[in-house]
Amino acid sequence: MDWFKRFRQQYGLFIIAFILFLLVWQWLVQSGKIPSFIIPTPTSILQMMIHYPHDLFVVHLGATLREVLIGFLLALAGGIGIAIAMYFSKPMEKVMYPIVLISQTIPIIALSPIFILWFGYGLWSKVAVTILICFFPIVLNFYDGLKQVNREYIDLLKTMGATRWQRFVKVEVPFALPHLFSGMKLAVVFAVVGATIGEWLGANEGLGYYSRRMSGNLNAEGVFAAVTLLSLLGMLLFIIVSLIERKILFWNRK
């Protein structure tokens, strides 16, 4: 029961406040103070999920999750590779660092139609948006982590005859991993945003597409159901990355 006690101490106040928020929300809409076509009640949103489980959970949530995972994993692999290349090569750093920064100054919403033009309305246009929006925190955090390694450890391994690769694997990477996971936790949430943006602009499945379709039909319950699932998806993926971080960085748990 120790885990339950820790959970209650950590999140008890938040859970109570959230339940009170839902109760007030339900009362405001049911009493007519807020029109239900503008903001539906929490119970009507829940009913929407119960009545259309296949459409919401299987078809559209599955499509969004697929786009998020593919985009995030590709951004993770590319981001780590770019960060390592910049760390080992000064000319690469001078070339790639400005490119990485410039890529984030361009509004994603403006690039999405270009990706649709290049890749069509299928999976890869959403994956491209997801990669672009979530690789930046991975590159920047991992690169900064590598740059902040304690040089005394490097000098110690040099005196012990360690090769450049051994110093990198045994000292520099472990020091940089906490920074990498910080970037990953940001990126996995941004990945949900990127996939949703891509679906809003052009798709035939996914929660972003579903919410746009429900908005066009003036179905507030459907819109809020999709938004709720997107929020839950982002939180779930964040928790999964945090658990992986806790498992791998056992020396950094405190």
Side-chain angles (χ1 to χ4, degrees), residues 110-122 124-126 128-129 132:
L111 288 178
S112 296
I114 298 176
F115 290 144
I116 292 173
L117 180 66
W118 289 347
F119 303 109
Y121 287 94
W124 292 106
S125 59
K126 287 73 178 177
V129 177
L132 185 62

Side-chain angles (χ1 to χ4, degrees), residues 97-165:
Y97 203 89
I99 293 176
V100 171
L101 293 177
I102 291 171
S103 70
Q104 300 304 301
T105 62
I106 305 172
I108 301 298
I109 196 74
L111 288 178
S112 296
I114 298 176
F115 290 144
I116 292 173
L117 180 66
W118 289 347
F119 303 109
Y121 287 94
L123 171 69
W124 292 106
S125 59
K126 287 73 178 177
V127 170
V129 177
T130 304
I131 292 173
L132 185 62
I133 201 172
C134 71
F135 91 101
F136 177 74
I138 295 173
V139 174
L140 198 62
N141 279 273
F142 191 43
Y143 176 70
D144 286 344
L146 291 171
K147 296 283 283 187
Q148 294 175 19
V149 174
N150 191 329
R151 303 309 303 179
E152 292 180 358
Y153 289 93
I154 302 295
D155 295 337
L156 176 62
L157 261 70
K158 283 182 179 179
T159 60
M160 298 172 66
T163 64
R164 182 67 185 88
W165 176 251

Side-chain angles (χ1 to χ4, degrees), residues 4-240:
F4 179 76
K5 183 178 180 181
R6 292 196 301 269
F7 180 83
R8 185 183 60 187
Q9 292 175 344
Q10 184 72 22
Y11 301 106
L13 287 176
F14 165 75
I15 293 173
I16 293 172
F18 185 68
I19 292 173
L20 290 175
F21 169 75
L22 292 179
L23 291 174
V24 172
W25 178 1
Q26 181 80 19
W27 173 77
L28 287 173
V29 179
Q30 279 191 337
S31 63
K33 298 184 183 301
I34 299 177
S36 59
F37 64 87
I38 295 178
I39 300 180
T41 61
T43 53
S44 64
I45 297 171
L46 182 61
Q47 289 173 358
M48 185 76 181
M49 296 181 186
I50 295 173
H51 290 161
Y52 301 97
H54 183 267
D55 284 351
L56 279 168
F57 290 93
V58 178
V59 177
H60 299 294
L61 178 60
T64 300
L65 180 60
R66 183 168 62 250
E67 295 158 4
V68 167
L69 291 180
I70 294 174
F72 173 73
L73 292 175
L74 290 177
L76 178 62
I80 291 175
I82 292 173
I84 292 174
M86 292 194 303
Y87 180 66
F88 275 98
S89 173
K90 204 68 177 176
M92 184 65 71
E93 177 191 3
K94 293 180 179 179
V95 172
M96 292 303 302
Y97 203 89
I99 293 176
V100 171
L101 293 177
I102 291 171
S103 70
Q104 300 304 301
T105 62
I106 305 172
I108 301 298
I109 196 74
L111 288 178
S112 296
I114 298 176
F115 290 144
I116 292 173
L117 180 66
W118 289 347
F119 303 109
Y121 287 94
L123 171 69
W124 292 106
S125 59
K126 287 73 178 177
V127 170
V129 177
T130 304
I131 292 173
L132 185 62
I133 201 172
C134 71
F135 91 101
F136 177 74
I138 295 173
V139 174
L140 198 62
N141 279 273
F142 191 43
Y143 176 70
D144 286 344
L146 291 171
K147 296 283 283 187
Q148 294 175 19
V149 174
N150 191 329
R151 303 309 303 179
E152 292 180 358
Y153 289 93
I154 302 295
D155 295 337
L156 176 62
L157 261 70
K158 283 182 179 179
T159 60
M160 298 172 66
T163 64
R164 182 67 185 88
W165 176 251
Q166 289 174 327
R167 297 197 301 270
F168 178 71
V169 172
K170 295 182 179 296
V171 175
E172 293 164 343
V173 170
F175 261 93
L177 279 179
H179 297 266
L180 174 62
F181 275 102
S182 296
M184 288 171 59
K185 286 186 284 189
L186 288 174
V188 78
V189 177
F190 291 162
V192 177
V193 176
T196 306
I197 292 174
E199 291 168 354
W200 255 90
L201 293 176
N204 51 20
E205 60 181 358
L207 290 173
Y209 161 78
Y210 184 83
S211 64
R212 180 169 61 87
R213 193 181 75 186
M214 292 298 102
S215 177
N217 294 335
L218 301 180
N219 187 333
E221 290 86 357
V223 174
F224 274 80
V227 171
T228 301
L229 288 178
L230 286 169
S231 178
L232 292 175
L233 177 61
M235 288 189 288
L236 177 62
L237 293 173
F238 182 91
I239 291 171
I240 290 173

